[in-house]
Amino acid sequence: MANLNQPTREEHLLEEPHKMPQMISVLSILTFIGSGLVILFQLYYFAAAKRIYDAAMAGQEKIDQAPAWAKSLQGPDPVGVIQRTYDNRIPISLLTIVAAVLCIAGAVQMRKLKKNGFAIYLVGELLPIVTTAIFIGTAAMASIGFYFGLVIYAVFIILYATQLKNLKS
């Protein structure tokens, strides 16, 4: 005897498969591009760390003659930030690459409509903030570049969070 509550094979074929929402598609593509660039820039930074350090220190000599508002954009201890960034370049580079890979992995999972992808992505976005606090210190968090990065992180986290309703466990 046929179960009347079970859909027939024809009804299964007529159901529309779960489509990836366009917002997740766009966000994940942007995540792939952004995280890929982060990995490339981080590899470049690691390879050219001494040259970048020397140029940044030389630039500090010139900034001393700049107006006060220009100096304030760098935060309270730009020389210390440059020095700590150079001294801790290995763990900073490794953790930055790990964070970018986590963002990519999370985006891939969200493209598959899996909720755990958001948690993976969130860890990847928060890891650079923790890395900065641990290895460079709070002085780096007072710069305009750090705040700009936080805004980008927040926008993506919020936009992905709005798509949680489309994701399955």
Side-chain angles (χ1 to χ4, degrees):
M1 178 172 219
N3 184 349
L4 298 177
N5 294 328
Q6 284 274 353
T8 65
R9 185 171 185 178
E10 293 84 28
E11 288 173 335
H12 278 299
L13 293 174
L14 295 175
E15 286 181 11
E16 188 174 321
H18 291 289
K19 285 181 158 180
M20 179 184 5
Q22 187 173 3
M23 178 67 95
I24 290 177
S25 178
V26 170
L27 287 171
S28 62
I29 290 169
L30 291 173
T31 298
F32 298 150
I33 293 168
S35 295
L37 288 173
V38 165
I39 291 169
L40 290 174
F41 286 138
Q42 197 60 47
L43 291 172
Y44 170 76
Y45 168 75
F46 186 75
K50 180 63 175 152
R51 191 177 67 225
I52 293 168
Y53 169 79
D54 291 340
M57 291 304 260
Q60 284 306 305
E61 295 169 9
K62 295 176 185 171
I63 199 77
D64 288 338
Q65 299 154 3
W69 66 268
K71 291 180 193 176
S72 70
L73 294 177
Q74 293 189 310
D77 184 21
V79 172
V81 168
I82 295 166
Q83 186 65 52
R84 286 188 297 279
T85 302
Y86 179 72
D87 293 343
N88 295 301
R89 65 192 174 278
I90 294 172
I92 290 171
S93 293
L94 289 175
L95 289 170
T96 301
I97 291 170
V98 166
V101 169
L102 285 171
C103 288
I104 291 169
V108 166
Q109 291 299 307
M110 286 187 278
R111 286 181 72 86
K112 294 177 183 177
L113 302 178
K114 295 184 178 180
K115 265 189 186 169
N116 69 337
F118 181 73
I120 295 167
Y121 177 82
L122 191 59
V123 171
E125 287 287 44
L126 297 177
L127 185 57
I129 298 167
V130 173
T131 300
T132 300
I134 291 171
F135 291 105
I136 302 173
T138 56
M141 297 178 173
S143 70
I144 193 79
F146 185 80
Y147 290 127
F148 179 74
L150 283 181
V151 169
I152 300 296
Y153 292 164
V155 166
F156 270 77
I157 290 169
I158 291 167
L159 289 173
Y160 272 123
T162 65
Q163 298 304 304
L164 284 173
K165 64 185 177 282
N166 297 314
L167 304 177
K168 298 177 241 162
S169 301

